[in-house]
């Protein structure tokens, strides 16, 4: 079986097969990856071209033996030492929610507003910022006037902030979902090294929405800083992929066109929001050579609400983009992995701030490059 991705990509903008996806569950909402922002940037990835053969074979899952994050082969070397913070802001009991030094904590009362935050990526990585997408869901007969901030926390303390990441006047009464994106500075927000870039390490990203009468806090999104930018996947060993979360079951297969069939089950106690799906191709040396989340308008992502305990099946058109800026992919069989991001709602039980659930699986079927 073969597929011509050049032709399939031209059709992708007009067709979005959703398989057995139930409209009442995920709402048939398709998000074209960064299509609205692509026009503002001239550097886009080059799609996989030529005829590729999809081979229906099963490769044993390998992620179980990998640690969550292992340094890859990124060419990023980091900034000069005098531009990197060595002392980060410390906890400030007087800090307001979402401000520098705030100790991140679950709001005392559940908010009617639901927030979600996820990370994006694109080829021209910068040292001082990472791309971020924020979504807010407003229930029926609720309005608010406020500003959504995005913060980066280290060991539970806010060390970088973007207090006005998204702003709203009075929103129309819900139900309504709104999403927006932008670049978040990863510079320290205070302390003796204020404005210097965060040092390498593990952090957590949150969206914060203080409003009259309460506070909405998104689940946290893990952020690995490497070389003073977000750790890259392209060119890295497959071990750079995150570990799968036990709260989400995911599996899938490569089809004979530019799409994949996915099956996903959320096992939390309350509904969650499916934020994104991302596919990478891996060569025989375990190196990531293509990534569907490279900055480009091609590819689509299904988003929507996941009821707990229900298997959801759907198809997504995806066009992994060569990591080598248009260079030909290596000949041979390429394994495919999917990474999905799920944000639990504030009704999910537990103490302390919740975190996004990352679902990771190797897809059935390989892509063969002649």
């Amino acid at each position: 079986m073969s597929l011509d991705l050049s032709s399939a990509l031209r059709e992708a903008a007009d067709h979005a097969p959703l398989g057995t996806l139930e409209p009442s569950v995920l709402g048939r909402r398709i998000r074209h990856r960064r299509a609205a922002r692509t026009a503002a940037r001239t550097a886009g990835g080059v799609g996989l071209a030529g005829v590729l053969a999809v081979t229906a074979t099963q490769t044993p899952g390998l992620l179980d033996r990998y640690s969550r994050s292992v340094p890859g082969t990124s060419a990023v070397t980091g900034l000069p030492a005098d531009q990197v913070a060595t002392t980060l802001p410390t906890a400030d009991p007087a800090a307001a929610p979402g401000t520098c030094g705030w100790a991140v904590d679950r709001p005392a009362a559940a908010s009617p507003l639901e927030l979600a935050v996820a990370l994006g990526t694109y080829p021209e990585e910068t040292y001082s910022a990472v791309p971020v997408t924020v979504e807010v869901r407003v229930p029926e007969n609720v309005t608010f006037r406020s500003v959504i901030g995005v913060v980066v926390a280290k060991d539970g303390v806010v060390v970088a902030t973007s207090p006005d990441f998204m702003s709203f006047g009075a929103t129309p009464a819900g139900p309504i979902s709104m999403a927006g994106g932008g670049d978040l500075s990863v510079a320290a927000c205070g302390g003796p090294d204020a404005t210097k870039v965060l040092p390498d390490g593990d952090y957590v990203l949150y969206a914060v929405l203080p409003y009259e009468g309460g506070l909405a806090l998104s689940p946290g999104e893990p952020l690995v800083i490497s070389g003073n930018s977000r750790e890259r996947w392209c060119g890295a060993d497959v071990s750079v992929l995150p570990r799968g979360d036990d709260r989400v079951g995911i599996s899938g297969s490569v089809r004979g066109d530019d799409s994949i069939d996915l099956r996903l089950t959320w096992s939390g106690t309350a509904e969650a929001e499916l934020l994104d799906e991302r596919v990478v191709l891996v060569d025989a040396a375990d190196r990531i050579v293509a990534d569907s989340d490279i900055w480009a308008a091609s590819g689509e992502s299904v988003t929507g609400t996941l009821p707990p305990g229900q298997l959801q099946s759907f198809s997504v058109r995806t066009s992994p983009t060569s990591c080598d800026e248009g260079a030909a992919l290596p000949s041979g069989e390429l394994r495919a992995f999917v990474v999905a991001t799920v944000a639990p709602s504030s009704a999910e039980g537990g103490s302390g701030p919740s975190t996004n659930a990352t679902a990771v699986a190797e897809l059935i079927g390989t892509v063969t490059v002649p």
Side-chain angles (χ1 to χ4, degrees), residues 31 33-34 37 115-121 130-136 150-151 165-166 179-184 204-207 218-223 230 273-278 293 301 303 339-343 356-358:
R31 182 174 64 238
R33 297 183 187 275
R34 282 155 295 278
R37 297 170 60 195
L115 283 181
V117 65
L119 285 162
T121 187
V130 292
V132 176
T133 299
V134 173
E135 181 174 346
V136 57
V150 174
V151 301
F165 192 84
M166 291 174 63
D183 291 331
L184 170 70
V204 182
L205 188 72
Y206 295 96
S218 77
E221 168 77 348
L223 167 65
R230 185 190 178 191
E273 185 77 4
L274 175 61
L275 300 181
D276 201 16
E277 309 87 41
R278 182 174 179 180
D293 210 26
S301 181
T303 65
V339 179
T341 302
V342 175
N356 285 344
T358 303

Side-chain angles (χ1 to χ4, degrees), residues 43-308:
V46 177
L48 303 184
V51 178
L52 308 183
V54 178
T55 306
T57 59
Q58 173 65 63
T59 304
L62 301 176
L63 289 177
D64 289 344
R65 74 182 193 208
Y66 295 141
S67 63
R68 184 187 59 78
S69 179
V70 177
T73 57
S74 171
V76 174
T77 57
L79 293 175
D82 61 358
Q83 298 180 34
V84 180
T86 57
T87 303
L88 295 178
T90 56
D92 179 2
T99 63
C100 199
W102 178 53
V104 182
D105 197 8
R106 182 189 290 263
S111 168
L113 306 171
E114 293 288 349
L115 283 181
V117 65
L119 285 162
T121 187
Y122 45 84
E124 59 272 41
E125 296 277 359
T126 58
Y127 290 115
S128 60
V130 292
V132 176
T133 299
V134 173
E135 181 174 346
V136 57
R137 289 185 290 164
V138 184
E140 188 174 4
N141 296 324
V142 172
T143 61
F144 74 99
R145 183 193 301 271
S146 194
V147 175
I148 296 177
V150 174
V151 301
V152 178
K154 177 71 172 177
D155 298 328
V157 176
V158 172
V159 295
T161 64
S162 179
D164 55 353
F165 192 84
M166 291 174 63
S167 61
F168 300 96
T171 65
I176 188 174
S177 292
M178 297 171 287
D183 291 331
L184 170 70
S185 170
V186 290
C189 57
D193 290 338
T195 73
K196 291 186 177 181
V197 175
L198 298 179
D200 289 1
D202 291 350
Y203 299 83
V204 182
L205 188 72
Y206 295 96
V208 185
L209 173 57
Y211 61 95
E212 184 177 355
L215 173 71
L217 177 70
S218 77
E221 168 77 348
L223 167 65
V224 179
I225 299 292
S226 176
N228 309 120
S229 64
R230 185 190 178 191
E231 187 171 30
R232 300 190 192 196
W233 289 7
C234 268
D237 187 87
V238 67
S239 59
V240 77
L241 298 180
R243 291 186 65 87
D245 192 302
D246 291 340
R247 294 174 291 174
V248 185
I250 190 170
S251 62
S253 56
V254 181
R255 292 203 335 193
D257 52 22
D258 66 332
S259 64
I260 59 173
D261 291 331
L262 293 177
R263 294 166 294 280
L264 188 148
T265 303
W266 163 244
S267 61
T269 58
E271 69 178 22
E273 185 77 4
L274 175 61
L275 300 181
D276 201 16
E277 309 87 41
R278 182 174 179 180
V279 176
V280 298
L281 300 182
V282 177
D283 66 11
D286 286 342
R287 182 175 62 101
I288 295 174
V289 295
D291 183 352
S292 66
D293 210 26
I294 289 296
W295 194 289
S298 60
E300 297 164 347
S301 181
V302 172
T303 65
T305 302
L306 296 170

Side-chain angles (χ1 to χ4, degrees), residues 2-13 15 17 48 54 253-261 279 298-300 315-320:
S2 65
L3 68 107
D4 184 344
L5 284 178
S6 297
S7 299
L9 281 175
R10 288 192 292 269
E11 299 175 2
H15 302 282
L48 303 184
V54 178
S253 56
V254 181
R255 292 203 335 193
D257 52 22
D258 66 332
S259 64
I260 59 173
D261 291 331
V279 176
S298 60
E300 297 164 347
S315 296
V316 178
R317 287 190 182 273
T318 181
S319 175

